[in-house]
Amino acid sequence: MPDETDAELFRHHMQYLAAHFTVLPLPVAVDQLRRGALPRLAAVITFDDGYASNYTVARPILQGFGFSASFFVATGLLGNGQMFNDTVIESIRRCPYTHLDLTALGIGQYELIDTPRRVAAISTLIGRLKYLPMPERSETARRIAELAGGGLSTRLMMNPDEVAQLHRDGMDVGCHTVNHPILANLSAEAARSEIDGSFAFIRELTGKKPVSFAYPNGRPGRDYHAEHVEMVRRAGFELAVSTATRGASPSDDLYQLPRIGIWSATDWKITANLASIYLQ
Ligand SMILES: [Zn+2]
């Protein structure tokens, strides 16, 4: 959730980048990488999924530093959509019960008497749902929300107008499929439709062909395969990023660029992660 602490930490990260790195828009960095002209300490900032906090929290801070970032949005979730994992997180977080019986869904029972047990339940449930076929995954998440007391949640994702504004701001608006499925779990036809559908949506919204794509979950050989890389290329994207964790090098496939994830990054962690880029 966007709150002051997160904004402060994010601003701190940006200060760190500004002090030590040349921060470039992703398409510019990739062009320089391809030409062997990338500065040694170059960094690119990316956001996946299309969370509302990207707009409300990160955008003004990025603008304050004059940084251009990439935003990979799951186009079908914009507005009132919700990622299945957020449905699980919000359901368990807000659940008024201390015991939740999900045996009707075949996914066990959970004690929710304190925060550590709620966190553990969330982690277990997300692990169980993540690789389910997508309609079943969404339906199971919806049933969990129902059985957990189903309180209304606040809007978590950006709406299309906000995404269009990011584009007008000069940010790189890229695609992350329509519904955020694990591509490797889909038929070829369904995977192509997820990739092409997100491309068409962003082109329509911004009036410009999107350049970049991020594979949902993004682990090479597990969450997507060579056929999906080819689909992304054919759709018209010029580059794509995975979640393989390392810095990029000139020998990298431009349709499978690695990234270094900054999760709940403490100072030492972001420093260590970024240091690992230029020690390679
Ligand atoms: Zn994602």
Side-chain angles (χ1 to χ4, degrees):
M1 291 302 289
D3 61 39
E4 197 54 32
T5 309
D6 286 349
E8 278 311 309
L9 184 59
F10 182 67
R11 185 175 291 110
H12 199 76
H13 290 165
M14 294 304 103
Q15 265 158 5
Y16 185 88
L17 285 177
H20 297 96
F21 286 78
T22 305
V23 177
L24 297 168
L26 177 60
V28 172
V30 168
D31 182 56
Q32 294 185 0
L33 181 72
R34 190 163 36 196
R35 292 188 288 107
L38 191 65
R40 182 152 168 75
L41 298 183
V44 162
I45 303 161
T46 70
F47 298 85
D48 284 14
D49 305 329
Y51 283 101
S53 60
N54 292 176
Y55 191 85
T56 56
V57 178
R59 174 178 176 260
I61 295 171
L62 289 167
Q63 288 178 324
F65 283 90
F67 290 164
S68 173
S70 288
F71 296 86
F72 298 105
V73 300
T75 55
L77 301 179
L78 295 175
N80 288 319
Q82 200 170 84
M83 310 253 297
F84 88 94
N85 52 312
D86 289 318
T87 305
V88 171
I89 291 167
E90 289 301 302
S91 301
I92 301 302
R93 193 170 70 81
R94 294 157 180 259
C95 181
Y97 317 127
T98 52
H99 179 86
L100 182 62
D101 185 353
L102 299 176
T103 48
L105 307 179
I107 46 176
Q109 303 189 40
Y110 299 85
E111 297 303 329
L112 306 177
I113 53 176
D114 54 21
T115 302
R117 265 166 277 209
R118 285 185 186 236
V119 170
I122 286 168
S123 166
T124 303
L125 286 167
I126 289 176
R128 288 191 170 181
L129 267 60
K130 187 177 257 187
Y131 287 94
L132 289 177
M134 211 172 40
E136 192 182 338
R137 188 174 79 180
S138 313
E139 176 60 14
T140 308
R142 196 187 63 74
R143 293 288 313 281
I144 291 172
E146 243 171 47
L147 292 169
L152 284 176
S153 68
T154 49
R155 177 168 69 91
L156 290 179
M157 312 311 281
M158 283 188 279
N159 61 43
D161 286 349
E162 291 166 333
V163 175
Q165 183 59 47
L166 288 176
H167 173 74
R168 287 193 295 273
D169 290 343
M171 302 289 180
D172 171 41
V173 174
C175 296
H176 197 38
T177 73
V178 177
N179 296 298
H180 205 281
I182 307 282
L183 289 168
N185 283 359
L186 301 185
S187 69
E189 191 188 352
R192 194 174 298 111
S193 160
E194 284 282 343
I195 294 164
D196 291 352
S198 65
F199 184 94
F201 184 96
I202 293 300
R203 182 175 54 187
E204 176 74 23
L205 182 69
T206 64
K208 185 174 171 290
K209 287 182 186 174
V211 169
S212 42
F213 180 88
Y215 303 94
N217 224 45
R219 284 178 298 172
R222 166 124 200 218
D223 298 324
Y224 70 92
H225 299 299
E227 61 179 302
H228 306 113
V229 176
E230 183 58 19
M231 287 175 194
V232 167
R233 197 181 62 74
R234 283 177 179 243
F237 294 102
E238 293 173 27
L239 61 98
V241 297
S242 72
T243 57
T245 304
R246 56 185 174 79
S249 75
S251 59
D252 276 316
D253 177 356
L254 298 183
Y255 285 89
Q256 297 190 73
L257 293 164
R259 287 185 293 174
I260 294 178
I262 307 295
W263 301 103
S264 55
T266 53
D267 282 353
W268 65 266
K269 190 178 169 202
I270 188 172
T271 306
N273 276 340
L274 292 171
S276 74
I277 298 176
Y278 55 85
L279 290 175
Q280 283 183 17

